[in-house]
Amino acid sequence: MSQNWTAEIRTEEGKGASRRLRNTGKVPAIIYGAGKDAVSVSFSGNFIKKAFQNNDNFNSVLTVDVTGGESESCVVKDIQRHPSTGEVSHIDLQRAGANNKLTKKVPLNFVGQAKSPGVKLGGLMSFLQATVEVSCLAKDLPTKIDVDVSAMNAGTSMRLSQLVMPEGVILTALSHGNADYDQAVVNIGAPKRK
C-alpha cells in the first residue's frame, strides 16, 4: 500500500523553530537514509492527525512529495508525541528505495480465536507479543502479520518459528541462530477443572 503525503521544506531547525512551527499547526519531520543528506520538512497537523488514525500507515511505503524538493519513498521510522496531549510532535521518516533493507516492528493480527479447540474447552488464550521485528526490502514490508490460532489446543503455545511469514520477510529474532530467541507469541492455558 502506498500513499502520497505532501511536505514543505523547513529552513529553520532547532527546538525553538520546531515549537514555533507546531504553534502554527504544523508537524516537523526529517527524512534520512539511503546515503543521502537528511532533509528537514513539515506536514500539516490536521493531515498527520488523520493519517495516523490508520495504523497501516506505520508500516506502509509512503511517497512524500516535498514542495520545493523532490519526491521520496519513505517509511515511518519513529514518531514523538506530546506527553500530555498525545499529539504527534515530530516524525522520523526513513528513505525506502527499492534496494534498501528495512528493519521495522510489525503488528500481529491474531485470527481464529473462537474456532480454537483449546478455547472451546474453556482454556484462556494469552497473547504474549503484539508486534515482531522484521527485516525485508521496502516493497515486501507487510502492514501486519496474520497469525492463525484456530487449530491451537489447550496447554499449547505458538512460537516465533511457527509463524507464517510473507515472502522476503525475515524475523530478526530468529536470524541470531540461537533457540533462546524463539519466544512464544500466544498460548492457551489448560481449562480449569470443575
Side-chain angles (χ1 to χ4, degrees):
M1 173 192 285
S2 181
Q3 290 192 19
N4 282 52
W5 289 20
T6 303
E8 297 174 357
I9 293 278
R10 273 194 298 148
T11 52
E12 294 183 12
E13 295 185 24
K15 285 184 181 181
S18 293
R19 190 178 307 113
R20 286 190 296 277
L21 197 63
R22 282 187 212 94
N23 288 338
T24 65
K26 298 192 182 227
V27 177
I30 189 160
I31 300 172
Y32 63 89
K36 294 179 173 178
D37 290 338
V39 178
S40 296
V41 296
S42 66
F43 294 97
S44 159
N46 289 335
F47 172 80
I48 292 300
K49 186 184 277 189
K50 288 177 189 163
F52 285 128
Q53 288 175 350
N54 179 358
N55 287 336
D56 288 351
N57 284 334
F58 289 99
N59 291 316
S60 295
V61 177
L62 310 169
T63 302
V64 179
D65 297 318
V66 181
T67 305
E70 58 187 69
S71 253
E72 305 261 17
S73 291
C74 304
V75 292
V76 176
K77 191 65 175 173
D78 190 28
I79 64 170
Q80 290 87 45
R81 293 186 182 271
H82 189 278
S84 61
T85 65
E87 296 287 321
V88 175
S89 60
H90 192 275
I91 306 170
D92 290 359
L93 297 166
Q94 181 181 358
R95 288 185 181 99
N99 299 321
N100 290 23
K101 200 155 202 170
L102 303 172
T103 301
K104 292 266 304 165
K105 285 196 178 199
V106 176
L108 296 175
N109 180 38
F110 296 95
V111 293
Q113 294 98 310
K115 295 179 183 176
S116 166
V119 171
K120 286 181 179 178
L121 287 173
L124 179 65
M125 186 173 284
S126 300
F127 304 102
L128 308 174
Q129 295 188 42
T131 62
V132 290
E133 189 175 76
V134 300
S135 178
C136 62
L137 294 175
K139 67 180 178 64
D140 298 327
L141 183 65
T143 56
K144 64 182 180 252
I145 296 171
D146 289 329
V147 180
D148 185 2
V149 295
S150 61
M152 287 184 69
N153 291 308
T156 63
S157 63
M158 184 182 290
R159 300 196 160 279
L160 288 171
S161 58
Q162 295 171 290
L163 298 181
V164 178
M165 301 304 292
E167 185 76 28
V169 180
I170 299 167
L171 285 167
T172 57
L174 299 180
S175 65
H176 299 294
N178 186 335
D180 292 341
Y181 290 101
D182 190 12
Q183 300 169 338
V185 175
V186 58
N187 67 24
I188 301 180
K192 291 183 180 177
R193 300 200 185 271
K194 294 181 182 177

